[in-house]
Amino acid sequence: METLDRQTETTSSRIAALAHLHAKYDCLNTILWLTDRSNGREQLLSSYQVGDPNIHEALVGAVVDIPRRGSKGDLADVLERVQSKIAHAVTATQRVTPIVLYPTIRAPTQSVSDPSILGVIVLHRDVEIGDPEAEEIASHISNIVEFTRLNRLATCVTNAQAFLSRTSKDVPKFLNEIGFFMLSQLNSSRCMYVNVNRAQDWLEIEGDHLEQLGIRAAHRDFAIEECGVAAPGEVRQVGLKFQECGSSEPAILVPLPQAGYAVRPVPFAKHNDFYRSLPRQNADDIKIIFFEKVVAGYLQNRFSEADVAIANAIFGFVGKYIESIIFESNTNEVISHLDTEDMVQDDADSILKILSGITRKFNSVTILRVGGFERSIYFDKVSATHRMPGLEDYLKKVRTTYFQKYYESRAGNGNNNHPYFGVDGIDGRTVIEVHFPRYSSESRLYLVELDGEVISESALRSLISLFSDLYSRVMREENIRERGSYLMQVRHAVIHHFSAANRSLKSIRPLWERGQRDKDYWLDLLNDPLIGSDLARTISSLGQASLIIENGRFMIGELESSALNRKPYRIAELINSTLDVLKYNRDDKRIGVISKISGPPPKSMRGDGPLLSIALMNLFDNAIKYSPHFAKIRWRLDYLPDRYRLSISSVGDKLDPNARMMLFQEGYRGFQSDRLNRRHGTGLGLPVAYRILKAHSPTAQLSFEPFDFDAELEGAGNTFFFEMPFFSGSSARAAAEADVRD
């Protein structure tokens, strides 16, 4: 290959320069020692030799440490160490003449510990050299060394850029190709790599041609020995200590660091805030090792400082390229599964399958159903890939630290269009938390166990992309189901009310037609209470149908606090108006109404009157609907200093306090003990009332209490109640101040 040819040229040019010096001064041996700092220490390495082949063996792999700056060592000490390496081949009559090489772009100094020292040429001959021309030849050799290093580096980078333009974008195949390519650039004969995103095993590249590459498991057990102190992610010299032979072989370790995050415990947050809360830390998920360096004529089997510089230069931009194709690969992995798989939001095995395609660091998934109302929170396991020790203790903690606050806030009303992400520890393991808020009071909690405490940015963004996309799909599916469920319930309920209205109008129509012909008969009809009752029944049925349709509007769409049209209103007037609309419903079951008001009303209140009327309509309609015939209902309005409390009590079957969450879920309907006169419904009334009240104020919490016996109502039953600030919303304080000024 071209690089091998250039490496041969490098070796040949250096040996040729040494041979010229060797012949000119009739030396017994001429040896070039080059300075190297690749393992964290400054050393002289025996590099090239011309002359007596008998000392060749003594020079192979020879290394002389250069004293650190400020030590007592000087040039004489270093040269004495150099001479000791080949003492057996130098007789007493032979002289050793050193010539120190300096980079041509720097002024020479006499301290060998100075980083500018390029190397030393050692001449062995019988007489001392006094010819200044030797210094000129040495300077020429310095130029050759520097030029060949720079030329080799530039050539390798150029070759790498050309190579990347035609390489594969498949990550495993790319690692094979780049590893094979770099063998020739580093004059290495073997290469192996590990990608912990795919497996924990090291793989060795096999093949003599780029088109016929293969891999095999690196079956030999080995340990990586650091040669010095190195920064994380730094390309460096290491030793490979193979267990089978016990020896340590020089190698270059190339980590391919990817931008990443240190996964530390952080609270739940939206994905952008979640990213910002995690500290940055590179992830070394991919490592490549090159070993068994072979260069003809070179005295070392270890990699040089120039080799490390080449690996640094090439993998500096190759690393970014790998990072981009990994992110593209992960994105395609997520998309391909979501496009082909059925909805997997409740299938832990399917989710882990997708995540494992991103990185094997994700090793388990647990899915929990979460429900909450006020301070009552429950967890049910939906599915899990593995048993998670410590889960119960974690759930106790997260119930208090997150979910109680979640259900007490507006978030608990389901007004969300994004999932929440967090990190916590469970029994010493790192777990990424994902919370899916839902329109109903029930939501999902996903716990993804992570192997390690660092994750690449690509893997984390792919996880967030997966769950964000999955959440969007879940919400779309839920919307479709809600719409379908609503339409089916509305169909039955509206048909019932329209049929009732139609029956009433049919009974009136013949009388109406006769009244058109006989005015006296028409006047008599106007005073007939039965006609008035039929008309009231018609109005009530049409009103109920309208209410059902209006309720569905809130269940299908969002009800945002900012969208409310807050104006002055009187709650007592809204209550009386609601009861007037429901007069037929009350009269039909002979329901009596008891009303009580305590405390002075405020000068004014602000809220969305039409929406509050719908909430009141649902609450009173429920009280009437689930009361037996000839029963009584009681509403009580208490004006407090800054808010009012409305409670509506009715007799009937006592509700189970543990069923609070179910009552406020769409479609749930309570038991009607009056089986002969059951009323149609949609199960939307209480959820709609709940949303309207919460949209006005987070403190307007709708709840209920069962009671055993009430003397005034003459039975056991339930009381639904809520408290509402006089001035709700973000402008409440300003409105209150304006009211005081008025």
Side-chain angles (χ1 to χ4, degrees):
M1 295 179 68
E2 181 182 359
T3 307
L4 288 176
D5 294 339
R6 290 188 177 274
Q7 181 62 31
T8 302
E9 292 176 10
T10 298
T11 301
S12 299
S13 61
R14 293 177 181 180
I15 291 179
L18 286 180
H20 176 73
L21 189 63
H22 180 81
K24 179 176 178 61
Y25 294 103
D26 192 22
C27 298
L28 298 175
N29 286 288
T30 304
I31 308 166
L32 175 60
W33 297 71
L34 294 176
T35 305
D36 188 89
R37 306 173 186 84
S38 59
N39 63 356
R41 294 178 296 173
E42 192 169 16
Q43 298 174 315
L44 282 176
L45 308 182
S46 61
S47 301
Y48 303 97
Q49 179 250 348
V50 176
D52 186 0
N54 293 325
I55 69 168
H56 186 84
E57 290 296 326
L59 291 173
V60 172
V63 177
V64 172
D65 287 330
I66 298 176
R68 290 177 296 177
R69 185 187 301 274
S71 69
K72 296 181 179 179
D74 55 16
L75 181 59
D77 293 333
V78 174
L79 294 178
E80 184 177 340
R81 297 177 191 179
V82 170
Q83 185 171 345
S84 68
K85 292 289 183 180
I86 52 174
H88 68 283
V90 180
T91 65
T93 60
Q94 293 175 343
R95 296 179 180 275
V96 177
T97 303
I99 303 176
V100 180
L101 304 180
Y102 301 100
T104 56
I105 60 174
R106 294 191 181 187
T109 65
Q110 291 300 314
S111 174
V112 177
S113 62
D114 191 293
S116 64
I117 295 298
L118 187 63
V120 175
I121 298 175
V122 177
L123 305 178
H124 292 174
R125 65 190 309 274
D126 291 329
V127 297
E128 185 175 355
I129 297 176
D131 189 347
E133 187 180 350
E135 297 292 339
E136 294 181 8
I137 297 175
S139 178
H140 174 65
I141 293 176
S142 295
N143 288 334
I144 291 175
V145 170
E146 289 186 296
F147 173 76
T148 52
R149 284 180 175 176
L150 293 174
N151 186 51
R152 181 185 170 205
L153 177 61
T155 301
C156 289
V157 171
T158 301
N159 291 343
Q161 291 171 338
F163 171 79
L164 289 180
S165 65
R166 60 180 185 273
T167 190
S168 171
K169 288 192 174 183
D170 176 73
V171 176
K173 189 174 181 181
F174 175 81
L175 290 174
N176 290 347
E177 293 175 351
I178 191 64
F180 178 77
F181 167 78
M182 287 300 296
L183 285 174
S184 59
Q185 312 301 308
L186 299 176
N187 306 299
S188 174
S189 61
R190 299 180 68 180
C191 170
M192 57 184 177
Y193 69 86
V194 63
N195 180 5
V196 297
N197 293 316
R198 292 291 178 263
Q200 297 291 336
D201 300 325
W202 286 84
L203 302 173
E204 185 168 351
I205 298 172
E206 292 184 315
D208 298 326
H209 301 284
L210 191 62
E211 295 77 15
Q212 299 176 350
L213 293 180
I215 55 173
R216 64 178 176 86
H219 59 277
R220 294 191 297 175
D221 292 330
F222 64 90
I224 299 176
E225 297 180 330
E226 295 290 346
C227 297
V229 179
E234 182 181 3
V235 177
R236 57 193 181 273
Q237 286 235 36
V238 296
L240 295 184
K241 188 168 185 178
F242 294 101
Q243 187 175 4
E244 61 188 39
C245 60
S247 61
S248 182
E249 183 168 328
I252 287 183
L253 173 63
V254 182
L256 292 177
Q258 303 171 61
Y261 297 92
V263 185
R264 304 285 187 268
V266 295
F268 283 94
K270 299 177 185 178
H271 69 272
N272 286 332
D273 295 330
F274 177 64
Y275 286 131
R276 286 191 287 267
S277 64
L278 293 174
R280 284 281 189 173
Q281 183 173 334
N282 283 344
D284 291 339
D285 294 337
I286 303 175
K287 298 181 179 71
I288 305 177
I289 289 180
F290 299 93
F291 59 109
E292 290 190 5
K293 180 180 176 71
V294 178
V295 178
Y298 187 56
L299 296 175
Q300 295 287 332
N301 64 350
R302 61 180 281 181
F303 294 89
S304 66
E305 185 177 350
D307 294 324
V308 174
I310 287 171
N312 255 320
I314 293 178
F315 283 102
F317 62 84
V318 167
K320 294 297 182 183
Y321 180 80
I322 291 178
E323 195 169 6
S324 67
I325 65 173
I326 288 176
F327 183 77
E328 182 179 348
S329 173
N330 289 345
T331 301
N332 292 336
E333 181 79 16
V334 171
I335 293 174
S336 65
H337 279 285
L338 290 176
D339 285 344
T340 57
E341 297 276 348
D342 294 332
M343 294 301 292
V344 295
Q345 68 270 18
D346 288 338
D347 187 348
D349 290 320
S350 295
I351 292 177
L352 183 60
K353 177 182 176 183
I354 299 174
L355 292 175
S356 297
I358 298 170
T359 174
R360 294 288 179 180
K361 287 187 172 183
F362 299 127
N363 52 32
S364 78
V365 174
T366 300
I367 306 175
L368 298 156
R369 181 185 297 109
V370 188
F373 182 80
E374 294 181 335
R375 294 188 176 276
S376 177
I377 311 292
Y378 72 86
F379 299 94
D380 286 333
K381 185 181 292 185
V382 177
S383 67
T385 57
H386 302 82
R387 179 180 173 273
M388 183 174 286
L391 180 60
E392 292 302 321
D393 291 337
Y394 163 78
L395 294 180
K396 290 178 183 177
K397 180 177 69 172
V398 78
R399 174 186 285 113
T400 303
T401 59
Y402 175 68
F403 280 104
Q404 282 188 355
K405 297 176 183 177
Y406 165 76
Y407 281 110
E408 290 171 0
S409 68
R410 274 189 49 77
N413 196 25
N415 294 319
N416 298 281
N417 55 7
H418 49 74
Y420 290 86
F421 300 88
V423 178
D424 208 336
I426 300 180
D427 199 33
R429 299 180 307 280
T430 301
V431 173
I432 297 177
E433 311 156 301
V434 185
H435 177 217
F436 276 15
R438 305 289 281 271
Y439 291 130
S440 60
S441 60
E442 188 178 88
S443 58
R444 290 290 187 274
L445 175 63
Y446 298 83
L447 303 176
V448 181
E449 186 179 338
L450 178 70
D451 183 12
E453 297 181 351
V454 178
I455 186 172
S456 69
E457 182 175 2
S458 170
L460 185 61
R461 288 189 179 276
S462 296
L463 176 142
I464 289 177
S465 174
L466 167 65
F467 281 105
S468 297
D469 193 278
L470 191 59
Y471 181 73
S472 297
R473 296 177 184 223
V474 168
M475 289 298 99
R476 286 198 297 269
E477 290 292 320
E478 187 167 293
N479 272 335
I480 293 172
R481 287 195 301 270
E482 285 183 353
R483 289 170 186 262
S485 175
Y486 163 69
L487 291 175
M488 289 297 294
Q489 294 180 67
V490 164
R491 176 180 178 274
H492 292 294
V494 170
I495 286 176
H496 166 76
H497 291 296
F498 280 166
S499 296
N502 188 44
R503 286 194 301 270
S504 297
L505 292 175
K506 278 185 176 181
S507 66
I508 296 175
R509 183 171 181 175
L511 303 177
W512 169 273
E513 292 175 348
R514 180 179 174 182
Q516 286 182 313
R517 297 189 299 270
D518 186 343
K519 291 185 178 180
D520 292 334
Y521 183 76
W522 174 249
L523 293 175
D524 292 337
L525 286 177
L526 293 178
N527 296 319
D528 189 339
L530 294 178
I531 298 299
S533 175
D534 284 340
L535 289 174
R537 186 180 295 110
T538 300
I539 293 171
S540 175
S541 295
L542 294 176
Q544 286 293 309
S546 175
L547 177 61
I548 291 170
I549 295 172
E550 191 70 13
N551 283 343
R553 177 168 68 90
F554 299 116
M555 303 317 297
I556 291 176
E558 291 291 333
L559 182 58
E560 297 291 344
S561 176
S562 59
L564 300 186
N565 184 19
R566 292 182 172 88
K567 293 182 178 180
Y569 74 98
R570 297 288 180 184
I571 183 62
E573 294 178 2
L574 293 183
I575 293 172
N576 289 326
S577 176
T578 299
L579 290 172
D580 286 343
V581 174
L582 296 173
K583 183 178 184 302
Y584 167 75
N585 304 67
R586 294 186 285 118
D587 293 346
D588 188 48
K589 298 182 70 173
R590 304 295 192 269
I591 300 293
V593 177
I594 302 172
S595 60
K596 294 184 178 182
I597 300 178
S598 69
K603 293 180 180 179
S604 67
M605 294 179 284
R606 286 185 181 272
D608 194 317
L611 286 183
L612 288 173
S613 294
I614 292 173
L616 294 173
M617 185 78 71
N618 282 309
L619 293 175
F620 279 106
D621 182 62
N622 256 33
I624 296 170
K625 182 188 304 180
Y626 292 101
S627 293
H629 278 58
F630 306 103
K632 299 175 184 177
I633 64 172
R634 178 181 63 225
W635 63 270
R636 179 184 179 92
L637 180 61
D638 295 302
Y639 290 110
L640 305 175
D642 60 348
R643 64 194 185 282
Y644 63 83
R645 175 187 173 93
L646 175 63
S647 57
I648 302 172
S649 303
S650 60
V651 295
D653 297 294
K654 291 171 57 178
L655 296 172
D656 182 359
N658 295 324
R660 292 174 188 270
M661 290 166 287
M662 298 178 64
L663 281 174
F664 295 97
Q665 292 180 14
E666 299 85 354
Y668 179 82
R669 300 189 64 214
F671 176 74
Q672 297 183 58
S673 57
D674 189 353
R675 298 186 180 184
L676 298 177
N677 297 281
R678 289 186 177 178
R679 292 187 53 201
H680 292 267
T682 61
L684 301 179
L686 287 178
V688 167
Y690 180 88
R691 287 192 179 188
I692 290 175
L693 296 175
K694 291 285 283 185
H696 276 77
S697 172
T699 62
Q701 184 74 54
L702 178 61
S703 188
F704 75 90
E705 290 179 353
F707 55 84
D708 291 327
F709 181 81
D710 186 292
E712 191 172 35
L713 298 180
E714 301 177 353
N718 306 280
T719 298
F720 282 82
F721 59 88
F722 68 89
E723 293 185 2
M724 177 70 71
F726 293 146
F727 299 96
S728 65
S730 59
S731 60
R733 183 173 181 179
E737 292 174 351
D739 182 67
V740 171
R741 289 194 297 270
D742 292 342

